[in-house]
Amino acid sequence: MLKLVKPSKKYIKSFLKVIDDYKKDDNHFARGEINPLIQAIEEDTVDEYLQKLSDYEKGKNMKPGYVPGTTFWLMDGDEWIGAFCIRHALTPLLEEWGGHIAANISPKHRGEYSSFIGIKMCLAKANKLGLDRVLMTCDVNNMASYRAITGLMKMYGGEQISDSQGDTYHQHRIWVNTKKIAKIK
Ligand SMILES: CC(C)(COP(=O)(O)OP(=O)(O)OC[C@H]1O[C@@H](n2cnc3c(N)ncnc32)[C@H](O)[C@@H]1OP(=O)(O)O)[C@@H](O)C(=O)NCCC(=O)NCCS
């Protein structure tokens, strides 16, 4: 059964199996949640990385201009499926690129509706964090992400707003409401 958990050493073994897949992964749209852990594991500082995630959630030791964010791992029993980060607020940059929720699915589990299910679970978590709606962004070429997000927008309400475009990015931007999902038990 799929569940969202806080990152911990309990699940590191399963994550290690995914690392090799990620190293071969050529989908570089949003690897922000994965690259630091790959690096941490290579440098043998998993404890430090997990501590950083815990600090990040509490807004401690933050990089300038960063807002707090809660990271969840999506697990199927003991198997690591993906990572999601819910930022607690937007910055001008996140409004253009990144939004509230980042998603990364293990390459071998893509196309199984894992991101759809994981983001759906994150909508309820976001509501508990006080967010009535979340902004989701994705590269205009990232069809999987776009379809997952618009599917959730159709189910739970929201709206697609104008794309954001800069020298190096062109993002679709979609608000998804969290109130309806928060009421479902
Ligand atoms: C983008 C990503 C999160 C999608 O995860 P996923 O679990 O494979 O997606 P899902 O299985 O939930 O599929 C969602 C939708 O995309 C479709 N889809 C899946 N893979 C697809 C692909 N390669 N091309 C086009 N559509 C695809 C599915 O059919 C589904 O659409 P539908 O409801 O209309 O049938 C995953 O590919 C990933 O981790 N990529 C690397 C990081 C990244 O790009 N993150 C998102 C940044 S915004």
Short mmCIF file of all heavy atoms in Angstrom, two decimals, residues 1 3 25 27 33 43 46 59-60 78 92 95 114-115 120 126-127 140 156 175 179:
data_model
loop_
_atom_site.label_atom_id
_atom_site.label_comp_id
_atom_site.label_asym_id
_atom_site.label_seq_id
_atom_site.Cartn_x
_atom_site.Cartn_y
_atom_site.Cartn_z
N MET A 1 0.83 -1.20 0.00
CA MET A 1 0.00 0.00 0.00
C MET A 1 0.87 1.26 0.00
O MET A 1 1.86 1.33 0.71
CB MET A 1 -0.88 -0.01 1.25
CG MET A 1 -2.07 0.90 1.14
SD MET A 1 -3.10 0.72 2.59
CE MET A 1 -2.90 2.31 3.30
N LYS A 3 2.18 4.88 0.81
CA LYS A 3 2.05 5.82 1.93
C LYS A 3 3.14 6.89 1.83
O LYS A 3 4.21 6.64 1.24
CB LYS A 3 2.17 5.09 3.28
CG LYS A 3 3.49 4.37 3.44
CD LYS A 3 3.62 3.63 4.76
CE LYS A 3 4.97 2.91 4.75
NZ LYS A 3 5.27 2.08 5.84
N ASP A 25 19.27 8.38 -15.39
CA ASP A 25 18.06 9.08 -15.82
C ASP A 25 18.40 10.32 -16.65
O ASP A 25 19.20 11.14 -16.23
CB ASP A 25 17.28 9.49 -14.56
CG ASP A 25 15.97 10.13 -14.90
OD1 ASP A 25 15.46 9.87 -16.00
OD2 ASP A 25 15.46 10.89 -14.06
N ASN A 27 16.03 12.46 -17.62
CA ASN A 27 14.96 13.44 -17.44
C ASN A 27 15.39 14.42 -16.35
O ASN A 27 15.26 14.15 -15.17
CB ASN A 27 13.67 12.72 -17.03
CG ASN A 27 12.51 13.68 -16.92
OD1 ASN A 27 12.72 14.90 -16.83
ND2 ASN A 27 11.31 13.16 -16.91
N GLU A 33 15.26 17.41 -5.55
CA GLU A 33 15.12 16.64 -4.31
C GLU A 33 16.04 15.42 -4.29
O GLU A 33 16.27 14.84 -3.24
CB GLU A 33 13.68 16.16 -4.15
CG GLU A 33 12.69 17.26 -3.86
CD GLU A 33 13.12 18.09 -2.68
OE1 GLU A 33 13.28 17.52 -1.60
OE2 GLU A 33 13.33 19.30 -2.85
N GLU A 43 29.05 11.01 -0.51
CA GLU A 43 30.00 11.60 0.44
C GLU A 43 29.85 11.01 1.84
O GLU A 43 30.47 11.47 2.79
CB GLU A 43 29.80 13.12 0.50
CG GLU A 43 30.22 13.81 -0.79
CD GLU A 43 29.76 15.26 -0.83
OE1 GLU A 43 29.21 15.75 0.17
OE2 GLU A 43 29.97 15.88 -1.89
N VAL A 46 24.81 10.84 4.97
CA VAL A 46 23.35 10.67 4.97
C VAL A 46 22.73 11.33 6.21
O VAL A 46 21.70 12.00 6.11
CB VAL A 46 22.99 9.17 4.92
CG1 VAL A 46 21.51 8.96 5.16
CG2 VAL A 46 23.39 8.60 3.57
N GLY A 59 12.54 25.58 9.09
CA GLY A 59 13.04 26.90 8.71
C GLY A 59 14.36 27.25 9.38
O GLY A 59 14.71 28.43 9.50
N LYS A 60 15.11 26.20 9.81
CA LYS A 60 16.41 26.45 10.48
C LYS A 60 17.55 26.33 9.48
O LYS A 60 17.49 25.49 8.58
CB LYS A 60 16.63 25.40 11.58
CG LYS A 60 15.87 25.72 12.86
CD LYS A 60 15.77 24.55 13.81
CE LYS A 60 17.08 23.95 14.25
NZ LYS A 60 16.85 22.76 15.13
N ASP A 78 8.00 -1.41 1.71
CA ASP A 78 9.39 -1.02 1.97
C ASP A 78 10.08 -0.46 0.73
O ASP A 78 11.26 -0.17 0.76
CB ASP A 78 10.20 -2.24 2.46
CG ASP A 78 9.80 -2.62 3.86
OD1 ASP A 78 9.33 -1.73 4.61
OD2 ASP A 78 9.94 -3.81 4.20
N PRO A 92 8.98 35.03 -5.12
CA PRO A 92 8.81 35.47 -6.52
C PRO A 92 9.37 34.43 -7.50
O PRO A 92 8.76 34.16 -8.54
CB PRO A 92 9.58 36.79 -6.57
CG PRO A 92 9.49 37.31 -5.16
CD PRO A 92 9.55 36.10 -4.27
N GLU A 95 7.05 31.38 -7.70
CA GLU A 95 5.84 31.71 -8.47
C GLU A 95 6.07 31.52 -9.97
O GLU A 95 5.15 31.23 -10.71
CB GLU A 95 5.42 33.16 -8.19
CG GLU A 95 4.62 33.28 -6.92
CD GLU A 95 4.34 34.72 -6.54
OE1 GLU A 95 4.35 35.60 -7.42
OE2 GLU A 95 4.12 34.96 -5.34
N SER A 114 2.13 7.03 -10.12
CA SER A 114 2.74 7.31 -8.81
C SER A 114 2.76 8.80 -8.51
O SER A 114 2.49 9.21 -7.37
CB SER A 114 4.18 6.79 -8.78
OG SER A 114 4.23 5.46 -9.18
N SER A 115 3.07 9.64 -9.52
CA SER A 115 3.13 11.07 -9.24
C SER A 115 1.71 11.59 -8.97
O SER A 115 1.51 12.39 -8.07
CB SER A 115 3.78 11.85 -10.37
OG SER A 115 2.91 12.01 -11.46
N LYS A 120 -1.52 13.89 -5.05
CA LYS A 120 -2.85 13.89 -4.43
C LYS A 120 -2.72 13.79 -2.89
O LYS A 120 -3.36 14.54 -2.15
CB LYS A 120 -3.64 12.71 -4.98
CG LYS A 120 -5.04 12.59 -4.49
CD LYS A 120 -5.73 11.46 -5.23
CE LYS A 120 -6.91 10.96 -4.42
NZ LYS A 120 -7.62 9.88 -5.09
N ALA A 126 -0.68 19.54 2.34
CA ALA A 126 -0.55 20.98 2.15
C ALA A 126 -1.69 21.71 2.85
O ALA A 126 -1.49 22.77 3.45
CB ALA A 126 -0.54 21.31 0.65
N ASN A 127 -2.89 21.13 2.77
CA ASN A 127 -4.03 21.75 3.44
C ASN A 127 -3.77 21.84 4.95
O ASN A 127 -4.08 22.85 5.59
CB ASN A 127 -5.30 20.96 3.14
CG ASN A 127 -6.52 21.67 3.65
OD1 ASN A 127 -6.92 21.46 4.78
ND2 ASN A 127 -7.08 22.56 2.85
N VAL A 140 6.98 23.10 -20.10
CA VAL A 140 5.95 22.89 -21.12
C VAL A 140 6.15 21.58 -21.89
O VAL A 140 5.21 21.06 -22.50
CB VAL A 140 5.86 24.08 -22.13
CG1 VAL A 140 5.31 25.31 -21.46
CG2 VAL A 140 7.21 24.36 -22.76
N TYR A 156 -10.17 18.32 -8.25
CA TYR A 156 -10.30 19.06 -6.99
C TYR A 156 -10.52 20.56 -7.14
O TYR A 156 -10.66 21.27 -6.16
CB TYR A 156 -9.08 18.78 -6.10
CG TYR A 156 -8.99 17.32 -5.77
CD1 TYR A 156 -7.95 16.53 -6.24
CD2 TYR A 156 -10.00 16.70 -5.03
CE1 TYR A 156 -7.90 15.16 -5.97
CE2 TYR A 156 -9.97 15.34 -4.76
CZ TYR A 156 -8.92 14.59 -5.24
OH TYR A 156 -8.89 13.24 -4.98
N TRP A 175 -2.95 26.24 -10.51
CA TRP A 175 -3.37 26.20 -9.10
C TRP A 175 -4.28 24.99 -8.89
O TRP A 175 -5.16 24.73 -9.71
CB TRP A 175 -4.16 27.47 -8.75
CG TRP A 175 -3.33 28.69 -8.56
CD1 TRP A 175 -3.13 29.71 -9.46
CD2 TRP A 175 -2.59 29.05 -7.38
NE1 TRP A 175 -2.31 30.67 -8.92
CE2 TRP A 175 -1.97 30.30 -7.64
CE3 TRP A 175 -2.37 28.45 -6.14
CZ2 TRP A 175 -1.16 30.95 -6.71
CZ3 TRP A 175 -1.57 29.10 -5.21
CH2 TRP A 175 -0.98 30.33 -5.49
N LYS A 179 -8.94 21.97 -0.50
CA LYS A 179 -10.01 21.83 0.50
C LYS A 179 -10.79 20.54 0.35
O LYS A 179 -11.09 19.86 1.34
CB LYS A 179 -10.96 23.02 0.40
CG LYS A 179 -10.42 24.28 1.03
CD LYS A 179 -11.47 25.36 0.99
CE LYS A 179 -10.92 26.68 1.50
NZ LYS A 179 -11.80 27.78 1.21
#
